Amino acid sequence: MINKKDVPLLMNVFKQLFSSLYSPKLISTFRLQGIWKTILYVFILALLSTIPTAYHFSSGLTAGLKGIDQTLRNDLPFFSIEDHTLSAEADQPIEIKKDNFIIILDDTGTYGVDEVEAKRNAIGILKDRFVFVTNGQTQSYEYSLMNMSFSKQDIIEFSDQVNQFLPIFVSILCFVMYLFSSIVKFIEITILAIFGLAFKNSLQRVLTFKQVWILSAYATTLSTFFFFVMDSLQVVVPGGFLVNWFVHLIILYLTLKEIPSTKTA
């Protein structure tokens, strides 16, 4: 729960976020503020950059598992895996497409790992193994390694259990994504601050590394917000890494230029 005393601080932080989208001059005035306020700001930027990825991941995972569950219940014939071999009540391989995902059931040996991998996003229940393919990345598990027998009904029951714990699982994954994003953001700002030292020397500005680091944190706002919008719309930006760093460096350079060289910071 947010303490009432923290409300003005949060409001001020979001006001700084808005100002940092368009004004290097205003960013330059933040150099004298405390480091902890800046650290809070960085965590907010990390949250902003995590939201689109976490949303699309969780919604995609939920929809994918729901589609697989429906396909198992309604579209696939009965099958079982005994003695490390698939047996299905079908005369030929079955291939079902659900949204952007393909499910293959084949006890004839027609499909192999390469054929499933070519589908880019697929699950293959093959004669001697499971094959999972996501964005062209393949994982294959032979039934002989599992040393167990199971049927379609067993998988449906397992799917029900997974769906029960899915909200907890997704929440943990999203939190891990946020932590990772925060670490990357702090590293990114520190690297940018090192470039900032070179800028401030060439511009003959008197600043400590702490002050340059603070300015670097706010200089990342515009690019972070831009990619937040693009990721939300699922728009791929060509050369995104270079665009990101180009904007960071330009904003930081313009910010440092706003600091008078004749005064100490």
Side-chain angles (χ1 to χ4, degrees), residues 30-183:
F30 302 155
R31 66 189 184 278
L32 300 178
Q33 75 177 22
I35 189 67
W36 290 109
K37 184 177 180 180
T38 306
I39 289 175
L40 171 62
Y41 186 84
V42 174
F43 278 116
I44 292 174
L45 288 181
L47 178 62
L48 198 65
S49 63
T50 303
I51 288 173
T53 303
Y55 171 77
H56 292 307
F57 169 79
S58 58
S59 59
L61 179 62
T62 302
L65 289 176
K66 183 178 179 181
I68 292 171
D69 185 67
Q70 291 177 344
T71 300
L72 280 170
R73 294 176 186 275
N74 305 322
D75 301 326
L76 291 181
F78 180 83
F79 63 87
S80 62
I81 297 171
E82 297 180 356
D83 297 325
H84 313 147
T85 303
L86 172 68
S87 176
E89 294 181 354
D91 298 328
Q92 59 186 5
I94 297 174
E95 182 176 318
I96 300 172
K97 185 173 183 180
K98 284 288 186 179
D99 297 323
N100 295 320
F101 217 84
I102 295 174
I103 300 176
I104 298 168
L105 179 68
D106 174 29
D107 65 347
T108 67
T110 302
Y111 282 84
V113 175
D114 293 339
E115 286 76 14
V116 179
E117 185 175 10
K119 306 296 182 181
R120 298 292 297 173
N121 290 287
I123 291 179
I125 307 175
L126 307 185
K127 185 174 183 178
D128 62 345
R129 69 187 65 208
F130 278 122
V131 180
F132 300 90
V133 184
T134 304
N135 292 325
Q137 301 298 314
T138 304
Q139 295 183 356
S140 175
Y141 304 94
E142 294 184 10
Y143 303 140
S144 59
L145 299 177
M146 300 178 185
N147 196 30
M148 59 186 296
S149 300
F150 50 91
S151 66
K152 171 184 173 178
Q153 186 58 39
D154 294 326
I155 296 179
I156 290 175
E157 292 175 359
F158 177 74
S159 177
D160 290 337
Q161 294 177 2
V162 170
N163 287 327
Q164 288 178 1
F165 290 100
L166 186 60
I168 298 175
F169 177 70
V170 169
S171 298
I172 293 173
L173 279 180
C174 288
F175 180 70
V176 171
M177 290 168 63
Y178 173 61
L179 286 181
F180 180 76
S181 179
S182 298
I183 293 171

Side-chain angles (χ1 to χ4, degrees), residues 24 192 199 219 222 243-257:
L192 183 60
F199 289 159
L222 179 58
V243 171
N244 182 59
W245 275 97
F246 177 77
V247 175
H248 287 351
L249 293 169
I250 291 297
I251 297 297
L252 181 58
Y253 182 81
L254 294 176
T255 298
L256 293 173
K257 281 191 68 176

